[in-house]
Amino acid sequence: MDLNSASTVVLQVLTQATSQDTALLKPAEEQLKQWETQPGFYSVLLNIFTNHDLDVNVRWLAVLYFKNGIDRYWRRVAPHALSEEEKSTLRAGLITNFNEPINQIATQIAVLIAKVARLDCPRQWPELIPILIESVKVQDDLRQHRALLTFYHVTKTLASKRLAADRKLFSDLASGIYNFACSLWNHHTDTFLHHVSSGNEAAALNSLERTLLSLKVLRKLTVNGFVEPHRNMEVMGFLHGIFDRLKQFLECSRNVDTDTVFRDKLEKTIILFTKVLLDFLDQHPFSFTPLIQRSLEFSVSYVFTEVGEGVTFERFIVQCMNLIKMIVKNYAYKPSKNFEDSSPETLEAHKIKMAFFTYPTLTEICRRLVSHYFLLTEEELTMWEEDPEGFTVEETGGDSWKYSLRPCTEVLFIDIFHEYNQTLTPVLLEMMQRLQGPTNVEDMNALLIKDAVYNAVGLAAFELFDSVDFDQWFKNQLLPELQVTHNRYKPLRRRVIWLIGQWVSVKFKSDLRPMLYEAICNLLQDQDLVVRIETATTLKLIFLNYSLPVDDFEFRTDQFLPYLETMFTLLFQLLQQVTECDTKMHVLHVLSCVIERVNMQIRPYVGCLVQYLPLLWKQSEEHNMLRCAILTTLIHLVQGLGADSKNLYPFLLPVIQLSTDVSQPPHVYLLEDGLELWLVTLENSPCITPELLRIFQNMPPLLEQSSENLRTCFKIINGYIFLSSTEFLQTYAAGLCQSFCELLSDITTEGQVQVLKVVENALKVNPVLGSQMFQPILPCVFRGIIEGERYPVVMSTYLGVMGRVLLQNTSFFSSLLTVMAHKCNQEMDQLLGNMIEMWVDRMDNITQPERRKLSALALLSLLPSDNSVIQDKFCGIINIAVEGLHDVMTEDPETGTHKDCMLMSHLEEPKATEDEEPPTEQDKRKKMLALKDPVHSVSLQQFTYEKLKAQQELLGEQGFQSLMETVDTEIVTQLQEFLQGF
């Protein structure tokens, strides 16, 4: 591409590409895409975006195309890579002038220079850093700023490289320029402070921008440029100097108006100081040791004393608290239990920490956290009144919550209390003691103080386990406070029920639960919405924590049932009342927990919820996460309703259809829960319906995805086979068999086993139809057996499938043997002999007792026979039969005789205990199927006797005796013992 002739054309096309008219825009974009790989194109772009007389939008687009080109074509190995000659010209052109007047374009140019530097600096671009250093020294304000901006982006990019060789290069660079970077930063900082003291805000803002950029450069050099930074005096000098500089900048902020550009930039710079310390502590904890004392003194004084009054702001306090927390928690500063095993560096850091965190210091920090930072603010109380749902979302971890002060103070409190609990426990207990008894509802400050102390007691619950008799406190103090209904007392009602939620997993007697359930029922009718939502949260915590079958942590349904109807009704009313998506999800989750806990006993009370969910589903069309919560609720609802869930099908089946249809965009969010709902619907379905059968059309694309959901997909397929094998297999087996053949070639061993288990279940439920429908897969199974499949778990499944065919569909087995003999170019008898031999040899691969008995029955089913091959393998068949008898024969304690323990002769429904799930409809179907299954309906002992008797009758006494002589005498003895009495 010739520069002179092409510039005009490219400029024209770029101009069209900035147009709002799609008729001009689309062809222009296509043309630019074609030019991307043309030699000289990027040189033309460089000329365009460095020409300040051209339209800003055109220049902006030229920069973006240039930047994208670096990503795609700058590397030498890239397809259509730029030539070395053009790259050399471009590198020189990029750093000729740092005079871009437009801020946004200047930033993009700095970023693209950094991208080139990442690939070429310093080997192909050694002049870059020297030119940048010289350029930041010039007196021209614009050139100086643009060079400094570029210097920062280059440093940032080079610091992010992680290969050892690249890190060594950056370390060399840092060592070479660190002194200059420090001088540059000090110069701009001093200039800024001078302008502030003289009252020149415009000049101060100009200098502050340079101070910020030079500090960003120093941050990258300091944190990433040195392996042992504590050995470098310049680095440590800079870090020690940060605290004095921070004090100067904080003092500057004292008289600066809020909501101004200057204030915003000043706060960003102050935060950047703290980021330098936090990053350095994170990357170099031992090098940070000399800074521990100063960091703690500085942070504690500004956050927990009057020093910070008038100068601190929320984000700065958060950063200081993070600094304290990182020092307190830092693993590198914690000595081993045996001090002698700790490194000297660890012991030194630990000594500094212990010297700082004295009893008075810890006490003051604890008191200030609770009595100052834990207090609900006016802003929070206003939000409570005006937007209660927004308040609860913020309190429980909304998007902005993690960046705010409250969670930071709570985490700091937890960490410090955990680390120094012996010192702080008496302090917190004393604060609790002062607050015994009711609080005057007119004294809002006292109410807020109690709220804050209760918050601390909840956060420290695990640490206070041995120090607080929570059961007595609950009965004598907390329960009466929940009964105070005055509107001004609502912060305490909310806090007390939250506090109980924190303690239920720590220490709460089972006998007290009915009292708590009674209180929850009352609070779910509270006049305040926030209290009701918090109460629902505590109820969820109760269900989540009372899951262990251990003393006070075991959920007792009998205690909860008297309150079930009231609670479920009130929770449903709460679900209807709240309007925010997050709150509805939260309440739905609580309802799901209730349904899951009481299971079938929820049936009388779910009518209202069942009627409401279709409306909520429709309203949540744009809220996929809420729809996920609805799916979860439906899963528990179907499990609770059992066979009655069939009444939900008009709503339920379209929901499953949408959620599992990969052609519908929402499936990205809904698929996993949708598949789980599909599965439990099948498991609880009393019978197949045309609509339920039709949904299976969604399955083939799901199998093609080979995703993490395959296991659930196979369970669904098995569910259909157990539910209605004939209709299902006749409708879908052909397509399913094709999908399975494709899957078997490229999925894991576990996946192959899942496919084969489906085939095995089909043969178990319907041997004739199963054999016909999965006929294309069976040759693969047969071949796997005779070739001795090397994976035991796959071989075991092969033998399970073939055992079903051989035992339950003999004619099909004969035809399969004919087909395989033709394919393998072998005689049928030879092939049969090979299969029996491999079966006997690999019997130990089968670990499941059912499959082991099936193998014995299947091989015995070959008898009686006068086939010489079968007689030749007679010894192996008897060995397998005796192994099977050892597996299944157990002594009847009543009669003293032996019996087959796998026989199921009648339907005895064992009574489920309170903790056991009642059997699903699918469990009942499996039980019915087991009654017809030869493995559970045929006595192996009797079957063995009958087959041997028939063989004896076929061959005569002498012939049979000769056959038995091929069997090991010990095996014969064991066989005779098992067959006594026949």
Side-chain angles (χ1 to χ4, degrees), residues 719-882:
Y720 275 104
I721 289 171
F722 290 128
L723 180 60
S724 180
S725 61
T726 302
E727 286 181 84
F728 173 68
L729 291 174
Q730 287 176 342
T731 309
Y732 293 111
L736 197 57
C737 193
Q738 183 180 346
S739 296
F740 281 0
C741 289
E742 293 169 3
L743 277 173
L744 284 170
S745 62
D746 70 353
I747 57 173
T748 62
T749 301
E750 184 187 356
Q752 292 177 22
V753 170
Q754 294 297 328
V755 169
L756 294 167
K757 279 184 178 178
V758 172
V759 179
E760 188 178 14
N761 283 329
L763 292 167
K764 185 191 298 185
V765 176
N766 197 327
V768 175
L769 188 58
S771 301
Q772 292 172 353
M773 293 301 179
F774 290 110
Q775 184 176 354
I777 292 175
L778 295 176
C780 166
V781 174
F782 195 101
R783 189 183 296 275
I785 294 171
I786 62 175
E787 291 178 356
E789 164 63 46
R790 63 194 178 109
Y791 291 109
V793 67
V794 178
M795 186 62 162
S796 170
T797 318
Y798 279 164
L799 294 174
V801 169
M802 199 51 61
R804 290 285 168 191
V805 177
L806 177 56
L807 179 64
Q808 295 179 264
N809 197 353
T810 310
S811 60
F812 185 86
F813 178 79
S814 299
S815 62
L816 176 63
L817 196 60
T818 305
V819 170
M820 292 307 298
H822 178 72
K823 282 188 176 182
C824 299
N825 198 21
Q826 291 184 27
E827 292 295 324
M828 284 176 59
D829 285 350
Q830 181 187 359
L831 203 58
L832 177 61
N834 291 344
M835 187 195 76
I836 297 171
E837 187 174 331
M838 189 58 71
W839 204 320
V840 172
D841 184 56
R842 298 294 291 275
M843 184 67 179
D844 286 344
N845 288 168
I846 305 176
T847 56
Q848 300 92 332
E850 290 85 356
R851 276 203 195 135
R852 290 179 66 81
K853 180 177 177 180
L854 175 67
S855 288
L857 291 171
L859 290 176
L860 283 168
S861 72
L862 293 168
L863 303 178
S865 174
D866 56 3
N867 185 304
S868 59
V869 171
I870 293 176
Q871 292 186 18
D872 185 48
K873 305 300 178 186
F874 181 79
C875 171
I877 293 172
I878 297 304
N879 283 348
I880 297 303
V882 172

Side-chain angles (χ1 to χ4, degrees), residues 537-548 589 593 596-597:
T537 304
T538 296
L539 184 59
K540 181 179 75 172
L541 289 173
I542 292 170
F543 286 129
L544 294 178
N545 285 300
Y546 290 156
S547 56
L548 300 172
H589 190 193
C593 288
E596 185 182 18
R597 275 282 170 236

